[in-house]
């Protein structure tokens, strides 16, 4: 099994920055892709960003230019740097992992999920 633990959420004002972390542990795979999704109250969980095994990144249009994605050299910890936060970024942010080298935006393609971390942006 794979365990994913998110951290770094909190309450900030609009325009501020936060950095979320996702640490993966447990079973290892030859290659895998990690991603962030988020879910606001009363809405479906939506794709935010993904980083593939090779390091390619892809972002949802709603966060492009404001969020960046990186990871450590061991490829076990992923970081989501969120800048210029808006109230509409308020959500629970979930880390996800799927086996393989291809990054996808589809929630159903991810095999493992973290418990989530709350991000609240006040206006």
């Amino acid at each position: 099994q794979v365990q994913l633990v998110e951290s770094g959420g909190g309450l900030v004002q609009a325009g501020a920055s936060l950095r979320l972390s996702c640490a993966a542990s447990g079973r290892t795979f030859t290659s895998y892709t990690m991603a962030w999704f988020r879910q606001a109250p009363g809405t479906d969980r939506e794709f935010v960003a993904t980083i593939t095994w090779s390091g390619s990144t892809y972002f949802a249009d709603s966060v492009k230019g404001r969020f960046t994605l990186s990871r450590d050299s061991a490829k076990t910890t992923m970081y989501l740097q969120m800048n210029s936060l808006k109230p509409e970024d308020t959500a629970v942010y979930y880390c996800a992992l799927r086996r393989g080298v291809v990054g996808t935006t589809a929630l159903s393609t991810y095999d493992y999920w973290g418990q989530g971390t709350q991000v609240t942006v006040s206006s």
Side-chain angles (χ1 to χ4, degrees), residues 19-103:
R19 189 176 82 153
L20 304 184
S21 299
C22 172
S25 62
R27 182 181 177 183
T28 58
F29 302 106
T30 303
S31 61
Y32 51 87
T33 293
M34 298 179 75
W36 289 97
F37 289 78
R38 67 186 182 186
Q39 187 168 20
T43 69
D44 294 331
R45 195 170 298 188
E46 66 175 9
F47 169 79
V48 175
T50 185
I51 184 165
T52 67
W53 182 253
S54 65
S56 298
T57 57
Y58 181 75
F59 298 89
D61 287 344
S62 58
V63 306
K64 202 172 294 183
R66 298 188 297 122
F67 291 10
T68 59
L69 200 51
S70 62
R71 63 186 175 193
D72 66 355
S73 58
K75 299 181 180 179
T76 58
T77 301
M78 172 178 65
Y79 305 99
L80 182 68
Q81 179 67 42
M82 305 186 295
N83 299 326
S84 303
L85 283 163
K86 304 176 181 180
E88 50 263 45
D89 294 319
T90 295
V92 177
Y93 283 70
Y94 296 91
C95 174
L97 183 149
R98 66 184 300 271
R99 289 165 287 183
V101 300
V102 177

